[in-house]
Amino acid sequence: GLSEKLRGIIKDLKGHGTLSEANIESVLKEVRLALLEADVNFTVVKEFISRVKGKALGQDVLLSVTPAQQFIKVVRDELAATLGETASELEFKGRPPVIMLAGLQGSGKTTTTAKLARLLKGKGRNPYVVPADLARPAAVLQLQKLSEEIKVDCFDVAGRKDPVDICTEALRVAKIKGYDTVLVDTAGRLHIDAALMDELKGLKEILSPSEVLLVADSMTGQDAVRTAQGFDEAIGLTGVILTKLDSDARGGAALSMRISTGKPIKFIGVSEKTDGLEVFHPDRMAGRILG
Amino acid sequence: SVLGMGTRKESLERLEEALITADVGVKTSSEIVGALKEGFKWDKEGLSERLRASISGLLKEVESPLVIPPGVVPFVIMVLGVNGVGKTTTIGKLASRFSSMGKSVILGAGDTFRAAAIEQLEIWGERAGCPVIKHSHGGDPGAVAFDAVKSAVAKKTDVVILDTAGRLHTKVNLMEELKKIKKVVNREIPSAPHENLLVVDASTGQNALNQAKLFNEYVGVTGIVITKLDGTAKGGIIVPIARELKIPIRFIGVGEGVDDLKEFNAGEFADALI
Ligand SMILES: Nc1nc2c(ncn2[C@@H]2O[C@H](COP(=O)(O)OP(=O)(O)OP(=O)(O)O)[C@@H](O)[C@H]2O)c(=O)[nH]1
Ligand SMILES: Nc1nc2c(ncn2[C@@H]2O[C@H](COP(=O)(O)OP(=O)(O)OP(=O)(O)O)[C@@H](O)[C@H]2O)c(=O)[nH]1
Ligand SMILES: [Mg+2]
Ligand SMILES: [Mg+2]
């Protein structure tokens, strides 16, 4: 992986394996390559590399007896620090607090809604899930079936034809019945679909959510910045959930989305099952991205 | 064009950047741009046009539409890919396309795992006006495939399209299951499945190459569909896939509606890429 490559490069540097401002470029080039191969966005890589350079030059890595180890530590620490503080918590403001899930088609929103509900139930909360996707065939049924599996109540859509109507009524029912968390699953949509992004804004108005979470596929490539920024600019995100991390994707989209929106990654999806949700660990993700 | 002012070296770097940001990948981008440097008169406009032509030429080699040979009845298509890429939706689009061509179609609800997967396919079957063979949730996908193919043979149906559950290429047990489904079909009809269609999401990064390689290793991929090209992602990952695996790219998905499926066109794709 990157560690071995860097050790090899630094060992071969003129000046007998010491880093200087003159030869740091070849080492940075290798880090840049690793990040691009890990799907980190091109522009994000540029910015990150300049940060690393600054840190490396500033930290007297150049005077170190083990520059390779020092340098790798600088890179990994900077990556983990950028990815975020550990365990960014969920906020529960509102009566009842609402968590709204949004994102591109197929990213894992419906499954993640059930995973979050199960997690919260396990922590002693009383969640209510709301299937507000009327576009995709059998989407409502999908969330209903998942909710049955985890024994969490699901709003009965009962022939309603409008997500606005569903959200309004679900919130009313949740208040009356005393659920303490409402999780709203929305239809997948493109950030460039103005009409659907307007619909999402409208749903947010009704729900006044405590959390607006972007559910994004961790194998997303360069487009991760456009997607994250698109959703953030339209509805304002409070966090990101990255799914399908049980794959062998390096997950550079994590860095892209974090840097381009400044929003925290709160959870990761690690399986198709309803217990497949874990808290996000920046240091582990850093190691995975670097490869 | 992506080229403005600057030296030749800068121009080449900018072209490389354009390819990398389209998900073509670092190695492939530098190789393609590197090949451009060879013997031509330095001219910025020519450089960009030569890149387009180079990519179009590369992709032309895998521009091969799905043709159902007359006399192959039923023609069996197995649809595969990782989770959420658009397999079921693509099957719905294909079913309607074949039906409007006057072909009879049967769908096999081979995703017996995911919640409401069978019901989702049934709705697409209704839209296309074709029957859906299904078992109960949790059943054996091989048995569904067997039933769908057997039914098609008996009725002399033109096309069978088998839906399968999304699965990560890294999950050995799931990949073995896919191999087993293929075997079941193959035992029933020695030349089937006639098409193993891999569905790839256009917004996927370099992992799509791993997906293509592994699905190809396990069951052999004979065609690719790249979906969600109506988004902002360029789908450049199909360039290294085309270069390394030479698998035909059959269709592109450009939306969630039943008609949002187009035949792959190398020139158009190359134009949109940069
Ligand atoms: N392996 C794996 N699969 C996942 C994960 N999260 C979701 N999936 C799968 O990804 C696919 C898509 O999940 P959905 O929940 O339907 O995605 P969605 O965002 O609701 O899709 P749309 O509503 O169509 O936009 C399904 O096959 C899920 O089982 C994960 O963390 N790991
Ligand atoms: N915008 C857009 N959305 C698409 C396209 N193809 C499929 N989708 C959407 O992507 C989401 C996932 O599609 P599915 O057909 O359920 O994907 P799948 O591969 O069968 O998913 P699993 O069976 O869960 O693995 C749905 O919301 C589809 O409407 C496309 O070309 N463009
Ligand atoms: Mg959904
Ligand atoms: Mg499916």
Side-chain angles (χ1 to χ4, degrees), chain A residues 104-111 115 133 136 142 185-188 243-246 269-272 276, chain B residues 83-84 114 168 171:
Chain A
L104 293 178
Q105 291 88 347
S107 63
K109 298 173 293 300
T110 304
T111 310
K115 288 178 179 182
D133 177 0
R136 167 172 156 156
Q142 183 185 3
D185 180 25
T186 65
T243 62
K244 309 176 200 173
L245 270 152
D246 40 329
V270 294
S271 87
E272 289 192 67
Chain B
N83 308 72
R114 206 208 69 214
L168 294 179
K171 303 208 168 162

mmCIF file of all heavy atoms in Angstrom, chain A residues 104-111 115 133 136 142 185-188 243-246 269-272 276, chain B residues 83-84 114 168 171, ligand 1:
data_model
loop_
_atom_site.group_PDB
_atom_site.id
_atom_site.type_symbol
_atom_site.label_atom_id
_atom_site.label_comp_id
_atom_site.label_asym_id
_atom_site.label_seq_id
_atom_site.Cartn_x
_atom_site.Cartn_y
_atom_site.Cartn_z
ATOM 1 N N LEU A 104 -29.397 10.517 -3.606
ATOM 2 C CA LEU A 104 -29.570 10.033 -4.979
ATOM 3 C C LEU A 104 -30.294 8.685 -5.005
ATOM 4 O O LEU A 104 -30.368 7.983 -4.002
ATOM 5 C CB LEU A 104 -28.202 9.858 -5.651
ATOM 6 C CG LEU A 104 -27.362 11.100 -5.927
ATOM 7 C CD1 LEU A 104 -26.027 10.695 -6.542
ATOM 8 C CD2 LEU A 104 -28.100 12.056 -6.841
ATOM 9 N N GLN A 105 -30.768 8.332 -6.169
ATOM 10 C CA GLN A 105 -31.445 7.046 -6.345
ATOM 11 C C GLN A 105 -30.525 5.876 -5.984
ATOM 12 O O GLN A 105 -29.376 5.812 -6.424
ATOM 13 C CB GLN A 105 -31.891 6.884 -7.805
ATOM 14 C CG GLN A 105 -33.006 7.814 -8.238
ATOM 15 C CD GLN A 105 -32.535 9.160 -8.774
ATOM 16 O OE1 GLN A 105 -31.374 9.541 -8.623
ATOM 17 N NE2 GLN A 105 -33.458 9.879 -9.388
ATOM 18 N N GLY A 106 -31.076 4.940 -5.222
ATOM 19 C CA GLY A 106 -30.365 3.694 -4.935
ATOM 20 C C GLY A 106 -29.254 3.762 -3.901
ATOM 21 O O GLY A 106 -28.540 2.781 -3.693
ATOM 22 N N SER A 107 -29.093 4.911 -3.227
ATOM 23 C CA SER A 107 -27.974 5.055 -2.288
ATOM 24 C C SER A 107 -28.153 4.248 -0.995
ATOM 25 O O SER A 107 -27.179 3.976 -0.304
ATOM 26 C CB SER A 107 -27.750 6.529 -1.951
ATOM 27 O OG SER A 107 -28.888 7.063 -1.286
ATOM 28 N N GLY A 108 -29.386 3.897 -0.654
ATOM 29 C CA GLY A 108 -29.606 3.112 0.559
ATOM 30 C C GLY A 108 -30.471 3.803 1.597
ATOM 31 O O GLY A 108 -30.447 3.441 2.766
ATOM 32 N N LYS A 109 -31.260 4.803 1.186
ATOM 33 C CA LYS A 109 -32.079 5.588 2.130
ATOM 34 C C LYS A 109 -33.107 4.744 2.881
ATOM 35 O O LYS A 109 -33.238 4.840 4.102
ATOM 36 C CB LYS A 109 -32.825 6.710 1.381
ATOM 37 C CG LYS A 109 -31.909 7.730 0.720
ATOM 38 C CD LYS A 109 -32.687 8.708 -0.131
ATOM 39 C CE LYS A 109 -33.313 8.047 -1.352
ATOM 40 N NZ LYS A 109 -32.301 7.433 -2.246
ATOM 41 N N THR A 110 -33.876 3.946 2.150
ATOM 42 C CA THR A 110 -34.959 3.179 2.770
ATOM 43 C C THR A 110 -34.391 2.175 3.773
ATOM 44 O O THR A 110 -34.878 2.074 4.903
ATOM 45 C CB THR A 110 -35.793 2.485 1.680
ATOM 46 O OG1 THR A 110 -36.261 3.469 0.750
ATOM 47 C CG2 THR A 110 -36.978 1.753 2.284
ATOM 48 N N THR A 111 -33.369 1.469 3.362
ATOM 49 C CA THR A 111 -32.721 0.501 4.250
ATOM 50 C C THR A 111 -32.136 1.216 5.464
ATOM 51 O O THR A 111 -32.241 0.733 6.598
ATOM 52 C CB THR A 111 -31.604 -0.246 3.499
ATOM 53 O OG1 THR A 111 -32.110 -0.737 2.257
ATOM 54 C CG2 THR A 111 -31.074 -1.404 4.313
ATOM 55 N N LYS A 115 -32.562 0.916 9.513
ATOM 56 C CA LYS A 115 -31.387 0.686 10.371
ATOM 57 C C LYS A 115 -31.348 1.692 11.513
ATOM 58 O O LYS A 115 -31.082 1.347 12.676
ATOM 59 C CB LYS A 115 -30.100 0.825 9.557
ATOM 60 C CG LYS A 115 -29.821 -0.299 8.567
ATOM 61 C CD LYS A 115 -28.526 -0.004 7.800
ATOM 62 C CE LYS A 115 -28.182 -1.094 6.808
ATOM 63 N NZ LYS A 115 -26.892 -0.812 6.115
ATOM 64 N N ASP A 133 -41.953 8.090 -0.025
ATOM 65 C CA ASP A 133 -41.573 7.889 -1.425
ATOM 66 C C ASP A 133 -42.733 7.246 -2.154
ATOM 67 O O ASP A 133 -43.000 6.059 -1.999
ATOM 68 C CB ASP A 133 -40.323 6.979 -1.522
ATOM 69 C CG ASP A 133 -39.927 6.691 -2.970
ATOM 70 O OD1 ASP A 133 -40.596 7.182 -3.903
ATOM 71 O OD2 ASP A 133 -38.924 5.969 -3.173
ATOM 72 N N ARG A 136 -41.192 5.510 -6.446
ATOM 73 C CA ARG A 136 -40.608 4.211 -6.794
ATOM 74 C C ARG A 136 -41.608 3.076 -6.555
ATOM 75 O O ARG A 136 -42.293 3.045 -5.522
ATOM 76 C CB ARG A 136 -39.360 3.991 -5.944
ATOM 77 C CG ARG A 136 -38.832 2.570 -5.982
ATOM 78 C CD ARG A 136 -37.506 2.457 -5.292
ATOM 79 N NE ARG A 136 -37.278 1.101 -4.831
ATOM 80 C CZ ARG A 136 -36.074 0.588 -4.609
ATOM 81 N NH1 ARG A 136 -35.004 1.344 -4.791
ATOM 82 N NH2 ARG A 136 -35.947 -0.652 -4.196
ATOM 83 N N GLN A 142 -41.731 -1.562 0.827
ATOM 84 C CA GLN A 142 -40.378 -1.906 1.264
ATOM 85 C C GLN A 142 -40.137 -1.428 2.694
ATOM 86 O O GLN A 142 -39.682 -2.190 3.550
ATOM 87 C CB GLN A 142 -39.354 -1.281 0.305
ATOM 88 C CG GLN A 142 -37.918 -1.631 0.609
ATOM 89 C CD GLN A 142 -36.936 -0.890 -0.302
ATOM 90 O OE1 GLN A 142 -37.316 -0.072 -1.122
ATOM 91 N NE2 GLN A 142 -35.649 -1.174 -0.153
ATOM 92 N N ASP A 185 -38.416 8.714 5.245
ATOM 93 C CA ASP A 185 -37.725 8.220 4.053
ATOM 94 C C ASP A 185 -38.271 8.975 2.849
ATOM 95 O O ASP A 185 -39.484 9.067 2.674
ATOM 96 C CB ASP A 185 -38.008 6.706 3.905
ATOM 97 C CG ASP A 185 -37.333 6.095 2.684
ATOM 98 O OD1 ASP A 185 -36.307 6.643 2.231
ATOM 99 O OD2 ASP A 185 -37.832 5.075 2.181
ATOM 100 N N THR A 186 -37.382 9.549 2.040
ATOM 101 C CA THR A 186 -37.855 10.287 0.863
ATOM 102 C C THR A 186 -37.425 9.569 -0.415
ATOM 103 O O THR A 186 -36.546 8.702 -0.387
ATOM 104 C CB THR A 186 -37.308 11.732 0.839
ATOM 105 O OG1 THR A 186 -35.885 11.696 0.699
ATOM 106 C CG2 THR A 186 -37.683 12.478 2.118
ATOM 107 N N ALA A 187 -38.010 9.944 -1.526
ATOM 108 C CA ALA A 187 -37.678 9.325 -2.808
ATOM 109 C C ALA A 187 -36.286 9.755 -3.260
ATOM 110 O O ALA A 187 -35.870 10.884 -3.027
ATOM 111 C CB ALA A 187 -38.696 9.734 -3.868
ATOM 112 N N GLY A 188 -35.575 8.826 -3.907
ATOM 113 C CA GLY A 188 -34.282 9.172 -4.489
ATOM 114 C C GLY A 188 -34.497 10.231 -5.553
ATOM 115 O O GLY A 188 -35.543 10.254 -6.220
ATOM 116 N N THR A 243 -23.042 4.618 2.794
ATOM 117 C CA THR A 243 -23.501 3.224 2.790
ATOM 118 C C THR A 243 -22.565 2.297 2.030
ATOM 119 O O THR A 243 -21.659 2.727 1.312
ATOM 120 C CB THR A 243 -24.900 3.136 2.148
ATOM 121 O OG1 THR A 243 -24.804 3.573 0.786
ATOM 122 C CG2 THR A 243 -25.907 4.001 2.891
ATOM 123 N N LYS A 244 -22.818 1.018 2.159
ATOM 124 C CA LYS A 244 -22.157 -0.059 1.415
ATOM 125 C C LYS A 244 -20.650 -0.115 1.672
ATOM 126 O O LYS A 244 -19.872 -0.447 0.775
ATOM 127 C CB LYS A 244 -22.468 0.055 -0.088
ATOM 128 C CG LYS A 244 -23.977 0.172 -0.343
ATOM 129 C CD LYS A 244 -24.354 0.382 -1.792
ATOM 130 C CE LYS A 244 -25.761 0.958 -1.891
ATOM 131 N NZ LYS A 244 -26.165 1.362 -3.246
ATOM 132 N N LEU A 245 -20.254 0.202 2.899
ATOM 133 C CA LEU A 245 -18.832 0.147 3.234
ATOM 134 C C LEU A 245 -18.341 -1.273 3.471
ATOM 135 O O LEU A 245 -17.156 -1.493 3.747
ATOM 136 C CB LEU A 245 -18.516 1.062 4.422
ATOM 137 C CG LEU A 245 -18.162 2.469 3.895
ATOM 138 C CD1 LEU A 245 -18.484 3.549 4.880
ATOM 139 C CD2 LEU A 245 -16.703 2.535 3.507
ATOM 140 N N ASP A 246 -19.244 -2.234 3.328
ATOM 141 C CA ASP A 246 -18.822 -3.642 3.371
ATOM 142 C C ASP A 246 -18.218 -4.059 2.026
ATOM 143 O O ASP A 246 -17.775 -5.201 1.874
ATOM 144 C CB ASP A 246 -19.988 -4.576 3.750
ATOM 145 C CG ASP A 246 -21.329 -4.198 3.111
ATOM 146 O OD1 ASP A 246 -21.581 -3.000 2.863
ATOM 147 O OD2 ASP A 246 -22.136 -5.108 2.877
ATOM 148 N N GLY A 269 -23.003 2.502 6.653
ATOM 149 C CA GLY A 269 -23.755 1.271 6.431
ATOM 150 C C GLY A 269 -22.759 0.178 6.101
ATOM 151 O O GLY A 269 -21.881 0.367 5.251
ATOM 152 N N VAL A 270 -22.868 -0.973 6.781
ATOM 153 C CA VAL A 270 -21.886 -2.037 6.567
ATOM 154 C C VAL A 270 -22.504 -3.379 6.207
ATOM 155 O O VAL A 270 -21.821 -4.411 6.236
ATOM 156 C CB VAL A 270 -20.976 -2.202 7.806
ATOM 157 C CG1 VAL A 270 -20.122 -0.963 8.014
ATOM 158 C CG2 VAL A 270 -21.816 -2.488 9.046
ATOM 159 N N SER A 271 -23.799 -3.393 5.916
ATOM 160 C CA SER A 271 -24.414 -4.629 5.431
ATOM 161 C C SER A 271 -25.819 -4.312 4.954
ATOM 162 O O SER A 271 -26.299 -3.192 5.135
ATOM 163 C CB SER A 271 -24.482 -5.691 6.534
ATOM 164 O OG SER A 271 -25.670 -5.535 7.284
ATOM 165 N N GLU A 272 -26.465 -5.295 4.357
ATOM 166 C CA GLU A 272 -27.834 -5.097 3.870
ATOM 167 C C GLU A 272 -28.848 -5.285 4.997
ATOM 168 O O GLU A 272 -30.023 -5.000 4.816
ATOM 169 C CB GLU A 272 -28.142 -6.104 2.775
ATOM 170 C CG GLU A 272 -27.417 -5.843 1.477
ATOM 171 C CD GLU A 272 -27.976 -6.686 0.356
ATOM 172 O OE1 GLU A 272 -29.143 -6.444 -0.035
ATOM 173 O OE2 GLU A 272 -27.274 -7.597 -0.119
ATOM 174 N N GLY A 276 -27.040 -3.402 10.293
ATOM 175 C CA GLY A 276 -25.782 -3.040 9.630
ATOM 176 C C GLY A 276 -25.467 -1.566 9.601
ATOM 177 O O GLY A 276 -25.154 -1.007 8.530
ATOM 178 N N ASN B 83 -25.594 -3.641 -5.261
ATOM 179 C CA ASN B 83 -26.837 -3.107 -4.714
ATOM 180 C C ASN B 83 -27.189 -1.705 -5.201
ATOM 181 O O ASN B 83 -26.354 -0.799 -5.157
ATOM 182 C CB ASN B 83 -26.757 -3.081 -3.184
ATOM 183 C CG ASN B 83 -26.356 -4.422 -2.603
ATOM 184 O OD1 ASN B 83 -25.202 -4.844 -2.723
ATOM 185 N ND2 ASN B 83 -27.300 -5.101 -2.015
ATOM 186 N N GLY B 84 -28.445 -1.554 -5.618
ATOM 187 C CA GLY B 84 -28.990 -0.232 -5.897
ATOM 188 C C GLY B 84 -28.618 0.410 -7.217
ATOM 189 O O GLY B 84 -28.935 1.576 -7.441
ATOM 190 N N ARG B 114 -34.369 -9.168 -0.767
ATOM 191 C CA ARG B 114 -34.633 -7.803 -0.316
ATOM 192 C C ARG B 114 -36.123 -7.524 -0.147
ATOM 193 O O ARG B 114 -36.953 -8.017 -0.926
ATOM 194 C CB ARG B 114 -34.032 -6.808 -1.297
ATOM 195 C CG ARG B 114 -33.701 -5.455 -0.658
ATOM 196 C CD ARG B 114 -33.763 -4.335 -1.653
ATOM 197 N NE ARG B 114 -35.134 -4.105 -2.049
ATOM 198 C CZ ARG B 114 -35.498 -3.721 -3.262
ATOM 199 N NH1 ARG B 114 -34.591 -3.512 -4.184
ATOM 200 N NH2 ARG B 114 -36.773 -3.545 -3.549
ATOM 201 N N LEU B 168 -22.640 -7.512 -3.403
ATOM 202 C CA LEU B 168 -21.281 -6.991 -3.543
ATOM 203 C C LEU B 168 -20.392 -8.096 -4.084
ATOM 204 O O LEU B 168 -20.471 -9.243 -3.640
ATOM 205 C CB LEU B 168 -20.767 -6.489 -2.191
ATOM 206 C CG LEU B 168 -21.505 -5.273 -1.635
ATOM 207 C CD1 LEU B 168 -20.921 -4.874 -0.276
ATOM 208 C CD2 LEU B 168 -21.445 -4.092 -2.596
ATOM 209 N N LYS B 171 -18.483 -10.526 -1.831
ATOM 210 C CA LYS B 171 -19.133 -11.511 -0.964
ATOM 211 C C LYS B 171 -19.162 -12.866 -1.677
ATOM 212 O O LYS B 171 -19.998 -13.123 -2.545
ATOM 213 C CB LYS B 171 -20.542 -11.057 -0.600
ATOM 214 C CG LYS B 171 -20.510 -9.684 0.071
ATOM 215 C CD LYS B 171 -21.645 -9.432 1.018
ATOM 216 C CE LYS B 171 -21.320 -8.179 1.835
ATOM 217 N NZ LYS B 171 -22.467 -7.591 2.480
HETATM 218 N N1 LIG C 1 -24.102 -4.275 1.050
HETATM 219 C C1 LIG C 1 -24.846 -3.226 1.447
HETATM 220 N N2 LIG C 1 -25.999 -2.990 0.818
HETATM 221 C C2 LIG C 1 -26.743 -1.947 1.239
HETATM 222 C C3 LIG C 1 -26.347 -1.099 2.302
HETATM 223 N N3 LIG C 1 -27.320 -0.170 2.465
HETATM 224 C C4 LIG C 1 -28.262 -0.422 1.549
HETATM 225 N N4 LIG C 1 -27.922 -1.502 0.807
HETATM 226 C C5 LIG C 1 -28.621 -2.106 -0.324
HETATM 227 O O1 LIG C 1 -28.632 -1.158 -1.364
HETATM 228 C C6 LIG C 1 -29.803 -1.336 -2.166
HETATM 229 C C7 LIG C 1 -30.532 -0.014 -2.263
HETATM 230 O O2 LIG C 1 -31.069 0.276 -0.982
HETATM 231 P P1 LIG C 1 -32.407 1.147 -0.816
HETATM 232 O O3 LIG C 1 -32.613 1.296 0.648
HETATM 233 O O4 LIG C 1 -33.506 0.572 -1.614
HETATM 234 O O5 LIG C 1 -31.924 2.491 -1.469
HETATM 235 P P2 LIG C 1 -32.747 3.837 -1.643
HETATM 236 O O6 LIG C 1 -31.806 4.966 -1.482
HETATM 237 O O7 LIG C 1 -33.909 3.863 -0.716
HETATM 238 O O8 LIG C 1 -33.219 3.741 -3.139
HETATM 239 P P3 LIG C 1 -34.287 4.692 -3.857
HETATM 240 O O9 LIG C 1 -35.433 4.840 -2.921
HETATM 241 O O10 LIG C 1 -34.644 3.986 -5.114
HETATM 242 O O11 LIG C 1 -33.577 5.978 -4.124
HETATM 243 C C8 LIG C 1 -30.583 -2.443 -1.512
HETATM 244 O O12 LIG C 1 -30.255 -3.651 -2.169
HETATM 245 C C9 LIG C 1 -30.071 -2.461 -0.098
HETATM 246 O O13 LIG C 1 -30.188 -3.725 0.514
HETATM 247 C C10 LIG C 1 -25.088 -1.365 2.955
HETATM 248 O O14 LIG C 1 -24.638 -0.680 3.867
HETATM 249 N N5 LIG C 1 -24.396 -2.448 2.486
#
